[in-house]
Amino acid sequence: MGKKEERFEVVFTDGSQMKDSGMRQILVDGETGVNYLVWKSGYAGGITPLLDSEGKVVIKK
């Protein structure tokens, strides 16, 4: 049985969970190509689709 491939790939990381500003990451969904912005700081965090200047979802092709 082969290794299961991860669905999400981290393509960008900035900051640190140890700082007040938290850590920001951009994840790409391997199945849909949709880019997500993830923010984590301490026990808090959030995730949202990344949007372009026209308000459309950014998709990696």
Short mmCIF file of all heavy atoms in Angstrom, two decimals:
data_model
loop_
_atom_site.label_atom_id
_atom_site.label_comp_id
_atom_site.label_asym_id
_atom_site.label_seq_id
_atom_site.Cartn_x
_atom_site.Cartn_y
_atom_site.Cartn_z
N MET A 1 0.85 -1.18 0.00
CA MET A 1 0.00 0.00 0.00
C MET A 1 0.89 1.24 0.00
O MET A 1 1.77 1.37 0.84
CB MET A 1 -0.91 -0.02 1.23
CG MET A 1 -1.89 1.10 1.26
SD MET A 1 -3.00 1.00 2.68
CE MET A 1 -4.34 0.12 1.91
N GLY A 2 0.68 2.15 -0.94
CA GLY A 2 1.50 3.34 -1.06
C GLY A 2 1.14 4.41 -0.04
O GLY A 2 0.11 4.36 0.60
N LYS A 3 2.02 5.38 0.07
CA LYS A 3 1.80 6.50 0.98
C LYS A 3 0.66 7.37 0.46
O LYS A 3 0.61 7.70 -0.73
CB LYS A 3 3.08 7.32 1.11
CG LYS A 3 2.96 8.48 2.06
CD LYS A 3 4.26 9.27 2.12
CE LYS A 3 4.07 10.50 2.97
NZ LYS A 3 5.27 11.33 2.98
N LYS A 4 -0.25 7.75 1.36
CA LYS A 4 -1.36 8.62 0.98
C LYS A 4 -0.84 10.03 0.74
O LYS A 4 -0.12 10.59 1.55
CB LYS A 4 -2.41 8.65 2.09
CG LYS A 4 -3.62 9.47 1.74
CD LYS A 4 -4.65 9.46 2.84
CE LYS A 4 -5.79 10.36 2.47
NZ LYS A 4 -6.74 10.50 3.56
N GLU A 5 -1.22 10.60 -0.41
CA GLU A 5 -0.78 11.95 -0.74
C GLU A 5 -1.62 12.97 0.03
O GLU A 5 -2.83 12.82 0.17
CB GLU A 5 -0.92 12.19 -2.24
CG GLU A 5 -0.28 13.48 -2.70
CD GLU A 5 -0.23 13.59 -4.20
OE1 GLU A 5 -0.01 12.58 -4.87
OE2 GLU A 5 -0.42 14.71 -4.69
N GLU A 6 -0.97 14.01 0.54
CA GLU A 6 -1.66 15.07 1.28
C GLU A 6 -2.49 15.90 0.31
O GLU A 6 -2.05 16.23 -0.78
CB GLU A 6 -0.64 15.96 1.98
CG GLU A 6 0.19 15.26 3.03
CD GLU A 6 -0.62 14.84 4.24
OE1 GLU A 6 -1.56 15.57 4.62
OE2 GLU A 6 -0.34 13.77 4.79
N ARG A 7 -3.69 16.27 0.74
CA ARG A 7 -4.57 17.06 -0.12
C ARG A 7 -4.14 18.51 -0.19
O ARG A 7 -4.22 19.15 -1.24
CB ARG A 7 -6.01 16.97 0.39
CG ARG A 7 -6.96 17.79 -0.45
CD ARG A 7 -8.39 17.51 -0.16
NE ARG A 7 -9.23 18.42 -0.94
CZ ARG A 7 -10.53 18.35 -0.97
NH1 ARG A 7 -11.16 17.42 -0.29
NH2 ARG A 7 -11.22 19.20 -1.70
N PHE A 8 -3.67 19.08 0.95
CA PHE A 8 -3.30 20.49 0.99
C PHE A 8 -1.79 20.65 1.02
O PHE A 8 -1.10 19.95 1.74
CB PHE A 8 -3.92 21.17 2.21
CG PHE A 8 -5.42 21.24 2.13
CD1 PHE A 8 -6.21 20.27 2.69
CD2 PHE A 8 -6.04 22.29 1.47
CE1 PHE A 8 -7.59 20.33 2.62
CE2 PHE A 8 -7.42 22.37 1.38
CZ PHE A 8 -8.19 21.38 1.95
N GLU A 9 -1.30 21.63 0.24
CA GLU A 9 0.13 21.93 0.18
C GLU A 9 0.34 23.36 0.70
O GLU A 9 -0.36 24.28 0.29
CB GLU A 9 0.61 21.85 -1.27
CG GLU A 9 2.05 22.25 -1.44
CD GLU A 9 2.46 22.30 -2.90
OE1 GLU A 9 1.64 22.02 -3.79
OE2 GLU A 9 3.63 22.67 -3.15
N VAL A 10 1.28 23.53 1.62
CA VAL A 10 1.64 24.85 2.12
C VAL A 10 2.60 25.47 1.12
O VAL A 10 3.68 24.94 0.89
CB VAL A 10 2.29 24.77 3.52
CG1 VAL A 10 2.71 26.16 3.99
CG2 VAL A 10 1.36 24.12 4.51
N VAL A 11 2.21 26.59 0.50
CA VAL A 11 3.05 27.23 -0.52
C VAL A 11 3.70 28.52 -0.02
O VAL A 11 4.58 29.06 -0.68
CB VAL A 11 2.27 27.50 -1.83
CG1 VAL A 11 1.85 26.19 -2.47
CG2 VAL A 11 1.07 28.40 -1.60
N PHE A 12 3.23 29.03 1.15
CA PHE A 12 3.81 30.25 1.71
C PHE A 12 3.56 30.26 3.21
O PHE A 12 2.47 29.91 3.66
CB PHE A 12 3.15 31.49 1.09
CG PHE A 12 3.63 32.79 1.66
CD1 PHE A 12 4.82 33.34 1.26
CD2 PHE A 12 2.88 33.45 2.62
CE1 PHE A 12 5.27 34.55 1.80
CE2 PHE A 12 3.31 34.65 3.16
CZ PHE A 12 4.51 35.19 2.75
N THR A 13 4.59 30.65 3.97
CA THR A 13 4.47 30.82 5.42
C THR A 13 5.20 32.09 5.82
O THR A 13 6.30 32.36 5.34
CB THR A 13 5.08 29.62 6.17
OG1 THR A 13 4.40 28.43 5.78
CG2 THR A 13 4.96 29.78 7.67
N ASP A 14 4.57 32.87 6.72
CA ASP A 14 5.17 34.11 7.21
C ASP A 14 4.78 34.28 8.67
O ASP A 14 3.67 33.96 9.07
CB ASP A 14 4.65 35.29 6.39
CG ASP A 14 5.30 36.60 6.79
OD1 ASP A 14 6.52 36.62 7.06
OD2 ASP A 14 4.58 37.61 6.83
N GLY A 15 5.69 34.79 9.47
CA GLY A 15 5.41 35.05 10.88
C GLY A 15 5.65 33.83 11.75
O GLY A 15 6.23 32.85 11.32
N SER A 16 5.17 33.92 12.98
CA SER A 16 5.36 32.86 13.96
C SER A 16 4.19 32.87 14.94
O SER A 16 3.67 33.92 15.29
CB SER A 16 6.66 33.08 14.72
OG SER A 16 6.73 32.25 15.85
N GLN A 17 3.78 31.70 15.40
CA GLN A 17 2.72 31.63 16.39
C GLN A 17 3.17 32.23 17.72
O GLN A 17 2.35 32.56 18.56
CB GLN A 17 2.28 30.18 16.60
CG GLN A 17 1.48 29.64 15.46
CD GLN A 17 0.90 28.28 15.79
OE1 GLN A 17 1.23 27.65 16.77
NE2 GLN A 17 0.01 27.81 14.93
N MET A 18 4.46 32.38 17.90
CA MET A 18 5.01 32.93 19.14
C MET A 18 4.91 34.46 19.19
O MET A 18 5.07 35.05 20.22
CB MET A 18 6.47 32.51 19.31
CG MET A 18 6.67 31.01 19.25
SD MET A 18 5.73 30.12 20.49
CE MET A 18 6.79 30.35 21.88
N LYS A 19 4.66 35.10 18.05
CA LYS A 19 4.54 36.56 17.99
C LYS A 19 3.08 36.97 18.04
O LYS A 19 2.19 36.20 17.68
CB LYS A 19 5.17 37.09 16.70
CG LYS A 19 6.66 36.85 16.61
CD LYS A 19 7.19 37.41 15.31
CE LYS A 19 8.67 37.15 15.19
NZ LYS A 19 9.20 37.64 13.91
N ASP A 20 2.81 38.21 18.48
CA ASP A 20 1.44 38.72 18.56
C ASP A 20 0.76 38.75 17.20
O ASP A 20 -0.46 38.59 17.12
CB ASP A 20 1.43 40.12 19.16
CG ASP A 20 1.78 40.11 20.64
OD1 ASP A 20 1.61 39.06 21.28
OD2 ASP A 20 2.22 41.16 21.14
N SER A 21 1.53 38.96 16.14
CA SER A 21 0.93 39.04 14.80
C SER A 21 0.53 37.68 14.25
O SER A 21 -0.21 37.59 13.27
CB SER A 21 1.90 39.72 13.83
OG SER A 21 3.09 38.95 13.72
N GLY A 22 1.00 36.61 14.85
CA GLY A 22 0.61 35.26 14.44
C GLY A 22 1.35 34.78 13.20
O GLY A 22 2.27 35.41 12.71
N MET A 23 0.90 33.63 12.70
CA MET A 23 1.49 33.02 11.52
C MET A 23 0.46 33.02 10.39
O MET A 23 -0.71 32.70 10.61
CB MET A 23 1.90 31.57 11.79
CG MET A 23 2.53 30.92 10.59
SD MET A 23 3.03 29.19 10.71
CE MET A 23 2.94 28.77 12.39
N ARG A 24 0.92 33.42 9.22
CA ARG A 24 0.07 33.41 8.04
C ARG A 24 0.59 32.36 7.06
O ARG A 24 1.80 32.24 6.88
CB ARG A 24 0.05 34.79 7.38
CG ARG A 24 -0.69 35.77 8.26
CD ARG A 24 -0.18 37.19 8.22
NE ARG A 24 1.25 37.42 8.25
CZ ARG A 24 1.98 37.55 9.38
NH1 ARG A 24 1.43 37.40 10.55
NH2 ARG A 24 3.26 37.80 9.34
N GLN A 25 -0.32 31.63 6.46
CA GLN A 25 0.06 30.62 5.47
C GLN A 25 -0.90 30.68 4.30
O GLN A 25 -2.06 31.07 4.46
CB GLN A 25 0.01 29.21 6.04
CG GLN A 25 1.03 28.93 7.12
CD GLN A 25 0.90 27.52 7.64
OE1 GLN A 25 -0.19 27.05 7.93
NE2 GLN A 25 2.03 26.84 7.76
N ILE A 26 -0.42 30.28 3.14
CA ILE A 26 -1.29 30.06 1.99
C ILE A 26 -1.23 28.58 1.67
O ILE A 26 -0.14 28.02 1.49
CB ILE A 26 -0.87 30.91 0.78
CG1 ILE A 26 -1.04 32.40 1.11
CG2 ILE A 26 -1.71 30.53 -0.45
CD1 ILE A 26 -0.63 33.34 0.01
N LEU A 27 -2.40 27.95 1.65
CA LEU A 27 -2.53 26.53 1.32
C LEU A 27 -3.20 26.40 -0.03
O LEU A 27 -4.07 27.20 -0.38
CB LEU A 27 -3.40 25.81 2.35
CG LEU A 27 -3.03 25.93 3.82
CD1 LEU A 27 -4.02 25.15 4.66
CD2 LEU A 27 -1.63 25.41 4.07
N VAL A 28 -2.81 25.37 -0.78
CA VAL A 28 -3.45 25.07 -2.06
C VAL A 28 -4.08 23.69 -1.96
O VAL A 28 -3.41 22.73 -1.57
CB VAL A 28 -2.44 25.12 -3.23
CG1 VAL A 28 -3.12 24.72 -4.53
CG2 VAL A 28 -1.84 26.50 -3.36
N ASP A 29 -5.37 23.61 -2.28
CA ASP A 29 -6.09 22.35 -2.31
C ASP A 29 -5.66 21.59 -3.56
O ASP A 29 -5.85 22.08 -4.68
CB ASP A 29 -7.59 22.62 -2.33
CG ASP A 29 -8.44 21.37 -2.26
OD1 ASP A 29 -7.97 20.29 -2.68
OD2 ASP A 29 -9.59 21.47 -1.80
N GLY A 30 -5.08 20.42 -3.38
CA GLY A 30 -4.58 19.63 -4.50
C GLY A 30 -5.66 19.12 -5.44
O GLY A 30 -5.38 18.82 -6.59
N GLU A 31 -6.89 19.02 -4.98
CA GLU A 31 -7.98 18.52 -5.82
C GLU A 31 -8.66 19.63 -6.61
O GLU A 31 -9.01 19.44 -7.76
CB GLU A 31 -9.02 17.78 -4.96
CG GLU A 31 -8.49 16.49 -4.40
CD GLU A 31 -9.55 15.72 -3.64
OE1 GLU A 31 -10.75 16.01 -3.81
OE2 GLU A 31 -9.16 14.83 -2.87
N THR A 32 -8.86 20.79 -5.98
CA THR A 32 -9.60 21.87 -6.65
C THR A 32 -8.70 23.00 -7.14
O THR A 32 -9.11 23.79 -7.98
CB THR A 32 -10.64 22.48 -5.69
OG1 THR A 32 -9.95 23.09 -4.58
CG2 THR A 32 -11.61 21.43 -5.19
N GLY A 33 -7.49 23.12 -6.58
CA GLY A 33 -6.59 24.21 -6.94
C GLY A 33 -6.88 25.51 -6.21
O GLY A 33 -6.20 26.51 -6.41
N VAL A 34 -7.90 25.53 -5.34
CA VAL A 34 -8.29 26.74 -4.61
C VAL A 34 -7.21 27.10 -3.59
O VAL A 34 -6.70 26.24 -2.89
CB VAL A 34 -9.65 26.57 -3.92
CG1 VAL A 34 -9.97 27.76 -3.03
CG2 VAL A 34 -10.75 26.37 -4.96
N ASN A 35 -6.86 28.39 -3.51
CA ASN A 35 -5.89 28.90 -2.54
C ASN A 35 -6.63 29.41 -1.31
O ASN A 35 -7.66 30.09 -1.44
CB ASN A 35 -5.10 30.07 -3.15
CG ASN A 35 -4.10 29.62 -4.18
OD1 ASN A 35 -2.92 29.67 -3.96
ND2 ASN A 35 -4.60 29.17 -5.32
N TYR A 36 -6.10 29.09 -0.13
CA TYR A 36 -6.70 29.53 1.13
C TYR A 36 -5.68 30.31 1.95
O TYR A 36 -4.50 29.93 1.99
CB TYR A 36 -7.15 28.32 1.97
CG TYR A 36 -8.28 27.57 1.34
CD1 TYR A 36 -8.04 26.49 0.50
CD2 TYR A 36 -9.60 27.93 1.57
CE1 TYR A 36 -9.07 25.79 -0.09
CE2 TYR A 36 -10.65 27.24 0.99
CZ TYR A 36 -10.37 26.16 0.16
OH TYR A 36 -11.40 25.48 -0.42
N LEU A 37 -6.14 31.38 2.60
CA LEU A 37 -5.33 32.13 3.55
C LEU A 37 -5.67 31.62 4.94
O LEU A 37 -6.83 31.59 5.33
CB LEU A 37 -5.63 33.62 3.45
CG LEU A 37 -4.95 34.51 4.49
CD1 LEU A 37 -3.43 34.45 4.35
CD2 LEU A 37 -5.44 35.93 4.37
N VAL A 38 -4.63 31.19 5.68
CA VAL A 38 -4.80 30.67 7.03
C VAL A 38 -4.03 31.57 7.98
O VAL A 38 -2.88 31.94 7.71
CB VAL A 38 -4.26 29.22 7.15
CG1 VAL A 38 -4.40 28.69 8.56
CG2 VAL A 38 -4.95 28.32 6.15
N TRP A 39 -4.64 31.94 9.10
CA TRP A 39 -4.00 32.76 10.13
C TRP A 39 -4.13 32.02 11.45
O TRP A 39 -5.21 31.54 11.79
CB TRP A 39 -4.65 34.13 10.21
CG TRP A 39 -4.15 34.96 11.35
CD1 TRP A 39 -3.00 35.68 11.39
CD2 TRP A 39 -4.78 35.13 12.62
NE1 TRP A 39 -2.87 36.30 12.60
CE2 TRP A 39 -3.96 35.96 13.39
CE3 TRP A 39 -5.94 34.65 13.19
CZ2 TRP A 39 -4.27 36.34 14.69
CZ3 TRP A 39 -6.25 35.02 14.49
CH2 TRP A 39 -5.41 35.86 15.21
N LYS A 40 -3.01 31.90 12.19
CA LYS A 40 -3.02 31.24 13.50
C LYS A 40 -2.23 32.09 14.48
O LYS A 40 -1.16 32.59 14.15
CB LYS A 40 -2.37 29.86 13.43
CG LYS A 40 -3.05 28.89 12.50
CD LYS A 40 -2.40 27.53 12.55
CE LYS A 40 -1.29 27.46 11.54
NZ LYS A 40 -0.67 26.16 11.43
N SER A 41 -2.77 32.24 15.70
CA SER A 41 -2.07 32.96 16.76
C SER A 41 -2.58 32.43 18.09
O SER A 41 -3.76 32.60 18.41
CB SER A 41 -2.31 34.46 16.65
OG SER A 41 -1.61 35.15 17.69
N GLY A 42 -1.71 31.79 18.86
CA GLY A 42 -2.12 31.22 20.13
C GLY A 42 -3.22 30.19 19.92
O GLY A 42 -3.07 29.27 19.13
N TYR A 43 -4.34 30.38 20.62
CA TYR A 43 -5.47 29.46 20.49
C TYR A 43 -6.49 29.91 19.45
O TYR A 43 -7.53 29.28 19.28
CB TYR A 43 -6.18 29.30 21.84
CG TYR A 43 -5.30 28.64 22.87
CD1 TYR A 43 -4.77 29.35 23.94
CD2 TYR A 43 -5.00 27.29 22.78
CE1 TYR A 43 -3.96 28.75 24.88
CE2 TYR A 43 -4.20 26.66 23.71
CZ TYR A 43 -3.68 27.39 24.76
OH TYR A 43 -2.89 26.78 25.69
N ALA A 44 -6.21 31.00 18.75
CA ALA A 44 -7.14 31.54 17.75
C ALA A 44 -6.64 31.27 16.34
O ALA A 44 -5.46 30.99 16.12
CB ALA A 44 -7.31 33.04 17.95
N GLY A 45 -7.53 31.36 15.39
CA GLY A 45 -7.13 31.17 14.00
C GLY A 45 -8.32 31.32 13.08
O GLY A 45 -9.46 31.45 13.51
N GLY A 46 -8.03 31.32 11.79
CA GLY A 46 -9.09 31.44 10.81
C GLY A 46 -8.60 30.98 9.45
O GLY A 46 -7.41 30.90 9.20
N ILE A 47 -9.55 30.68 8.57
CA ILE A 47 -9.23 30.27 7.21
C ILE A 47 -10.28 30.86 6.27
O ILE A 47 -11.47 30.93 6.62
CB ILE A 47 -9.16 28.73 7.08
CG1 ILE A 47 -8.74 28.33 5.67
CG2 ILE A 47 -10.46 28.08 7.49
CD1 ILE A 47 -8.39 26.86 5.52
N THR A 48 -9.84 31.32 5.11
CA THR A 48 -10.75 31.88 4.12
C THR A 48 -10.16 31.66 2.73
O THR A 48 -8.93 31.61 2.58
CB THR A 48 -10.97 33.39 4.37
OG1 THR A 48 -11.98 33.87 3.48
CG2 THR A 48 -9.71 34.19 4.18
N PRO A 49 -10.99 31.51 1.71
CA PRO A 49 -10.45 31.42 0.35
C PRO A 49 -9.74 32.73 0.00
O PRO A 49 -10.18 33.81 0.39
CB PRO A 49 -11.69 31.24 -0.53
CG PRO A 49 -12.77 30.80 0.38
CD PRO A 49 -12.45 31.35 1.72
N LEU A 50 -8.65 32.63 -0.71
CA LEU A 50 -7.90 33.81 -1.16
C LEU A 50 -8.60 34.38 -2.39
O LEU A 50 -8.93 33.65 -3.32
CB LEU A 50 -6.47 33.41 -1.48
CG LEU A 50 -5.43 34.49 -1.65
CD1 LEU A 50 -5.30 35.31 -0.38
CD2 LEU A 50 -4.09 33.90 -2.02
N LEU A 51 -8.86 35.69 -2.39
CA LEU A 51 -9.57 36.34 -3.48
C LEU A 51 -8.65 37.29 -4.26
O LEU A 51 -7.75 37.90 -3.68
CB LEU A 51 -10.76 37.14 -2.94
CG LEU A 51 -11.75 36.37 -2.08
CD1 LEU A 51 -12.82 37.31 -1.56
CD2 LEU A 51 -12.36 35.21 -2.84
N ASP A 52 -8.91 37.42 -5.56
CA ASP A 52 -8.15 38.37 -6.37
C ASP A 52 -8.79 39.75 -6.28
O ASP A 52 -9.76 39.96 -5.55
CB ASP A 52 -8.01 37.88 -7.82
CG ASP A 52 -9.33 37.82 -8.58
OD1 ASP A 52 -10.34 38.36 -8.10
OD2 ASP A 52 -9.34 37.21 -9.67
N SER A 53 -8.28 40.70 -7.05
CA SER A 53 -8.77 42.09 -6.98
C SER A 53 -10.21 42.24 -7.48
O SER A 53 -10.86 43.23 -7.17
CB SER A 53 -7.85 43.01 -7.79
OG SER A 53 -7.85 42.62 -9.15
N GLU A 54 -10.73 41.26 -8.21
CA GLU A 54 -12.11 41.30 -8.69
C GLU A 54 -13.06 40.54 -7.77
O GLU A 54 -14.25 40.42 -8.05
CB GLU A 54 -12.19 40.73 -10.10
CG GLU A 54 -11.41 41.54 -11.11
CD GLU A 54 -11.43 40.91 -12.49
OE1 GLU A 54 -12.00 39.82 -12.67
OE2 GLU A 54 -10.85 41.52 -13.40
N GLY A 55 -12.54 39.98 -6.68
CA GLY A 55 -13.36 39.24 -5.74
C GLY A 55 -13.57 37.78 -6.11
O GLY A 55 -14.39 37.10 -5.52
N LYS A 56 -12.83 37.30 -7.10
CA LYS A 56 -12.95 35.89 -7.52
C LYS A 56 -11.91 35.05 -6.78
O LYS A 56 -10.83 35.52 -6.45
CB LYS A 56 -12.71 35.77 -9.03
CG LYS A 56 -13.77 36.49 -9.84
CD LYS A 56 -13.50 36.35 -11.31
CE LYS A 56 -14.54 37.13 -12.11
NZ LYS A 56 -14.26 37.09 -13.54
N VAL A 57 -12.27 33.80 -6.53
CA VAL A 57 -11.37 32.88 -5.82
C VAL A 57 -10.13 32.62 -6.65
O VAL A 57 -10.21 32.39 -7.88
CB VAL A 57 -12.11 31.54 -5.54
CG1 VAL A 57 -11.18 30.54 -4.88
CG2 VAL A 57 -13.32 31.78 -4.65
N VAL A 58 -8.94 32.67 -6.01
CA VAL A 58 -7.68 32.39 -6.69
C VAL A 58 -7.53 30.88 -6.81
O VAL A 58 -7.60 30.14 -5.84
CB VAL A 58 -6.48 32.98 -5.91
CG1 VAL A 58 -5.17 32.58 -6.55
CG2 VAL A 58 -6.62 34.48 -5.81
N ILE A 59 -7.34 30.41 -8.06
CA ILE A 59 -7.20 28.99 -8.33
C ILE A 59 -5.87 28.76 -9.04
O ILE A 59 -5.57 29.39 -10.06
CB ILE A 59 -8.35 28.46 -9.21
CG1 ILE A 59 -9.68 28.67 -8.47
CG2 ILE A 59 -8.14 27.00 -9.57
CD1 ILE A 59 -10.90 28.28 -9.26
N LYS A 60 -5.06 27.83 -8.49
CA LYS A 60 -3.78 27.47 -9.09
C LYS A 60 -4.05 26.47 -10.20
O LYS A 60 -4.72 25.47 -10.00
CB LYS A 60 -2.87 26.84 -8.04
CG LYS A 60 -1.52 26.43 -8.55
CD LYS A 60 -0.69 25.84 -7.45
CE LYS A 60 0.66 25.38 -7.98
NZ LYS A 60 1.45 24.76 -6.94
N LYS A 61 -3.56 26.77 -11.38
CA LYS A 61 -3.80 25.89 -12.52
C LYS A 61 -2.60 25.05 -12.83
O LYS A 61 -1.52 25.33 -12.55
CB LYS A 61 -4.20 26.71 -13.73
CG LYS A 61 -5.50 27.43 -13.48
CD LYS A 61 -5.94 28.19 -14.66
CE LYS A 61 -7.23 28.90 -14.30
NZ LYS A 61 -7.93 29.49 -15.35
#
